[in-house]
Amino acid sequence: MQTEDPAIRTRASAWTPKETLPGRDYHDPAVYEADRSRIFHSLWSCIGREEQLAEPGDYLTQELAGESILVTRTLGGELRGHYNVCRHRGTRLADGCGHVRKVLTCPYHAWSYDLEGNLVGTPNVHEEEGFDRAAHPLWRVHVETWAGFVFVNLSDDPPPLREWLASDPDNPLWFDKYRVEDLRIGRELTYEVAANWKIIVENFNECLHCPTVHPELVQIVPIYRKGEVEERDGWWGNSLADGAGSFTTTGASGLPTLPGIDATDAHTYYGFHVFPNVLLNFMPDSVMYYLLLPRGPEHTTVISNYLFRPETIEGVDGFEENAGEIVKFWDLVSRQDWGICERAQTGVRSKSYAGGGVYPFQDRLLRAFNKRYAAVRGPVA
Ligand code: FES
Ligand SMILES: [Fe+2]
């Protein structure tokens, strides 16, 4: 039996309809440039998981809103962040993830860089030129980790990542108890979505669409039938259906519950946005994250990775089958979301929508996201 805190009803009755962002914020190239420079290239943004570069000599590259970033694991085990740009003539140094013994070599003229980013090899450049390699290391970016996620910051002097997260009004550090840093990627999916990144964030933060778009999901999370994402005032958990402990069509997975979570969490789903580009889904037996990588004003690559305990991935009988059911269920829900996000994107370009739309109370999280977004981004001419 789902209960709904009367305080929610009280707040709903005090709500007056609010404006959405204007249509141009979802398609205008000038707004996209502001999103790139003032958000993705100024704040801490996520680009991947630490396990993707676990060993000394490993590297990870990722395109973050038009800037290719290279993170290396030094021989001493530290992470270093760099622009993935050769100091000679700008060539992209590396692709994907990989491993080198000691140096990364540019595929153009074979200049090489150690894992700290120092330029250590410049074949056929003559000593007598007086060329100073030490003056030409890779351009650095800040890199830090939280919960096993690799975050980069392209600004000059960012706050420490944890301080930044602690100041987040949505309190992502509350989820430290899930010990996501101990989990490992068991499945990786990638989607190309023809929608602005903010449409995807907004869609994630409301469930007015759930009864129409997600008939299977509302069976597992009954509160969604009401178009609501908050069950009790100020508590962002959503109770699973009676007897359910996972995100599958039956509500069961056969996987063990994650360590460190309590009895309530064992039948609760939490969905959470880490501004700007991570959407986290906490289930009793696994965690799934969406990593949003904007490609343009109307295109976002969404990486959807499923995290499990390493011993679950390696040892438990039936992992393939059990994890497969979770992935199958989420993949269905994800595709339903991307389809409707793409459809929303087609309308926000209309001149009729230039002034935007309207938020009822159930869209209050979107309003909060928009206010935060607008404050960070500032005006665009
Ligand atoms: S551009 Fe990289 S070595 Fe020339
Ligand atoms: Fe959805």
Side-chain angles (χ1 to χ4, degrees):
M1 180 70 188
Q2 298 298 315
T3 56
E4 196 176 324
D5 192 317
I8 294 176
R9 291 188 187 281
T10 307
R11 287 196 290 135
S13 64
W15 179 269
T16 53
K18 305 284 193 295
E19 290 176 359
T20 70
L21 295 174
R24 68 174 293 213
D25 282 6
Y26 302 98
H27 65 86
D28 186 329
V31 172
Y32 181 67
E33 280 309 305
D35 286 4
R36 292 178 67 223
S37 63
R38 298 178 203 162
I39 295 177
F40 288 91
H41 298 163
S42 293
L43 307 178
W44 287 106
S45 297
C46 182
I47 62 164
R49 293 282 295 169
E50 262 200 278
E51 67 174 288
Q52 293 171 312
L53 66 168
E55 301 297 327
D58 286 353
Y59 64 85
L60 160 72
T61 67
Q62 188 61 267
E63 190 188 316
L64 179 62
E67 287 286 1
S68 184
I69 306 299
L70 165 70
V71 179
T72 51
R73 176 82 66 182
T74 69
L75 297 178
E78 304 288 316
L79 294 184
R80 295 282 183 269
H82 326 268
Y83 287 89
N84 189 13
V85 174
C86 181
R87 288 298 304 265
H88 180 207
R89 279 169 48 208
T91 301
R92 179 167 297 189
L93 282 173
D95 303 297
C97 297
H99 177 83
V100 295
R101 210 163 65 80
K102 282 185 178 169
V103 296
L104 286 139
T105 302
C106 179
Y108 203 166
H109 314 94
W111 287 22
S112 56
Y113 301 86
D114 69 17
L115 294 158
E116 300 279 354
N118 300 308
L119 178 60
V120 294
T122 51
N124 296 324
V125 176
H126 301 131
E127 291 290 328
E128 54 270 29
E129 284 180 38
F131 183 79
D132 183 8
R133 287 180 192 157
H136 299 87
L138 292 176
W139 285 288
R140 292 286 291 270
V141 305
H142 298 273
V143 59
E144 291 190 34
T145 64
W146 169 68
F149 291 100
V150 177
F151 286 79
V152 294
N153 190 308
L154 278 53
S155 67
D156 290 337
D157 189 21
L161 173 62
R162 203 167 170 86
E163 198 174 287
W164 156 258
L165 294 171
S167 71
D168 191 313
D170 292 341
N171 192 20
L173 301 183
W174 187 86
F175 292 100
D176 280 350
K177 68 175 178 176
Y178 274 78
R179 295 183 5 213
V180 180
E181 62 276 17
D182 294 339
L183 306 182
R184 295 292 176 268
I185 300 170
R187 288 287 187 283
E188 303 184 56
L189 299 180
T190 301
Y191 304 94
E192 299 298 335
V193 185
N196 183 273
W197 68 277
K198 298 186 290 295
I199 283 188
I200 296 172
V201 171
E202 289 162 3
N203 177 74
F204 183 79
N205 276 318
E206 55 91 358
C207 229
L208 271 178
H209 71 275
C210 292
T212 44
V213 175
H214 300 306
E216 299 83 5
L217 178 61
V218 299
Q219 302 291 327
I220 298 298
V221 189
I223 189 79
Y224 292 168
R225 287 204 192 98
K226 299 178 180 174
E228 185 52 85
V229 291
E230 193 180 18
E231 221 166 274
R232 303 194 298 269
D233 230 18
W235 183 66
W236 296 108
N238 301 144
S239 298
L240 302 183
D242 284 348
S246 187
F247 261 48
T248 66
T249 47
T250 63
S253 74
L255 298 180
T257 301
L258 294 173
I261 65 172
D262 61 29
T264 301
D265 303 330
H267 57 83
T268 301
Y269 160 78
Y270 299 91
F272 197 82
H273 174 216
V274 182
F275 194 95
N277 73 331
V278 188
L279 304 174
L280 282 163
N281 301 283
F282 294 90
M283 284 129 340
D285 57 3
S286 54
V287 172
M288 188 271 273
Y289 67 90
Y290 295 119
L291 179 60
L292 309 186
L293 298 167
R295 302 299 190 205
E298 301 186 84
H299 181 191
T300 306
T301 297
V302 182
I303 294 173
S304 169
N305 284 354
Y306 296 75
L307 306 176
F308 303 94
R309 299 171 70 198
E311 55 269 41
T312 298
I313 296 172
E314 291 158 11
V316 174
D317 283 341
F319 170 73
E320 291 295 325
E321 187 184 316
N322 292 325
E325 286 302 307
I326 296 171
V327 175
K328 198 163 93 183
F329 187 80
W330 262 117
D331 182 46
L332 171 72
V333 172
S334 298
R335 289 176 189 280
Q336 290 166 339
D337 277 328
W338 312 149
I340 208 66
C341 285
E342 291 184 341
R343 198 173 174 101
Q345 183 71 39
T346 63
V348 295
R349 264 188 261 120
S350 166
K351 66 180 180 184
S352 69
Y353 196 78
V358 60
Y359 287 140
F361 180 70
Q362 286 96 333
D363 285 334
R364 59 198 177 281
L365 295 185
L366 286 60
R367 173 73 172 181
F369 164 65
N370 289 174
K371 286 173 89 168
R372 184 176 183 189
Y373 161 76
V376 175
R377 191 205 69 190
V380 177

